[in-house]
Amino acid sequence: MRDDVLDAARTMAAEKGWDCVSLSQVAARAEVSRPTVYKEFGSRGGLSRALVHREAERFLTGVDHALRQPASTATDALAAAILYALREAQENVLVASVIKAARNGTDSLLPYLTARSEPVVTGARHLVRSWCQTHYRQFDTVRTDQAADVIVRLTLSHIVLPPPEHSLRESAEVITAAATAVLARPTAPDAPSKH
């Protein structure tokens, strides 16, 4: 039942934007009662969070799989995974609906990609940080954490506001170059001590 409701909510959000979807409509589409939806999710906000959480889990599972694909170098694997993420977001009907609605000045799901991005950003940071620490062992954890943060933030930024002059492949290359620049930047010399 939970998956049926979430499937219905996802379809309706993609069709007409989340702001135009009510719990009653979702219940009717899922062929369950409205009280059942309230009992399971608590509120429309609870349904929003559950929908975004499920979508984020599916998305990050795909990114994890993409990172694990054979590649000549870690940098090639990273670029391929970022390209996968950008393509997947572009082809995801729910993400497309959220971004389109936001450009028209509405959509209550957009904060889950920006200000309240906990399920997406935290999960992505953890996944990418772990991968960077495994594949760039020559760098300390501070450097790999910073690179992971750059990867997640720039990828999310390209999803929400794609640069019109870049193809997805070019965007993936730019993000990869930024992350590798963070990894490879010279270490600042220690500041002289003051006596």
Side-chain angles (χ1 to χ4, degrees):
M1 182 278 298
R2 184 179 177 84
D3 279 339
D4 289 344
V5 172
L6 290 171
D7 288 343
R10 184 184 193 276
T11 300
M12 295 180 79
E15 287 172 356
K16 56 185 182 177
W18 185 245
D19 288 342
C20 298
V21 177
S22 70
L23 284 183
S24 298
Q25 293 168 330
V26 172
R29 176 74 70 100
E31 300 179 352
V32 298
S33 69
R34 188 169 178 262
T36 299
V37 175
Y38 269 106
K39 184 178 179 185
E40 182 67 25
F41 298 100
S43 65
R44 189 170 177 278
L47 180 58
S48 299
R49 285 187 295 278
L51 179 60
V52 170
H53 185 75
R54 186 180 74 163
E55 206 71 16
E57 279 186 354
R58 290 177 175 179
F59 181 77
L60 293 176
T61 296
V63 171
D64 183 44
H65 181 72
L67 282 168
R68 295 176 188 275
Q69 293 303 300
S72 300
T73 66
T75 302
D76 289 343
L78 179 59
I82 293 169
L83 179 58
Y84 166 85
L86 294 173
R87 280 187 178 143
E88 190 66 18
Q90 186 179 61
E91 294 169 5
N92 184 302
V93 294
L94 181 60
V95 172
S97 170
V98 169
I99 292 169
K100 180 181 176 186
R103 287 183 184 144
N104 293 330
T106 63
D107 205 349
S108 53
L109 287 183
L110 183 65
Y112 291 105
L113 293 177
T114 55
R116 287 182 291 171
S117 55
E118 191 71 15
V120 178
V121 173
T122 301
R125 274 198 191 120
H126 177 73
L127 172 66
V128 176
R129 182 182 295 133
S130 175
W131 184 88
C132 284
Q133 288 171 355
T134 300
H135 290 84
Y136 294 108
R137 290 182 181 168
Q138 67 271 36
F139 301 109
D140 62 38
T141 56
V142 171
R143 195 69 61 94
T144 53
D145 285 358
Q146 290 169 344
D149 191 57
V150 164
I151 292 162
V152 172
R153 287 177 185 272
L154 286 179
T155 302
L156 187 57
S157 174
H158 277 67
I159 289 169
V160 175
L161 291 169
E165 69 280 6
H166 289 175
S167 68
L168 293 181
R169 185 171 298 282
E170 288 169 328
S171 291
E173 289 169 357
V174 166
I175 296 166
T176 303
T180 54
V182 167
L183 288 168
R185 76 186 190 283
T187 303
D190 291 336
S193 60
K194 294 182 179 178
H195 297 290

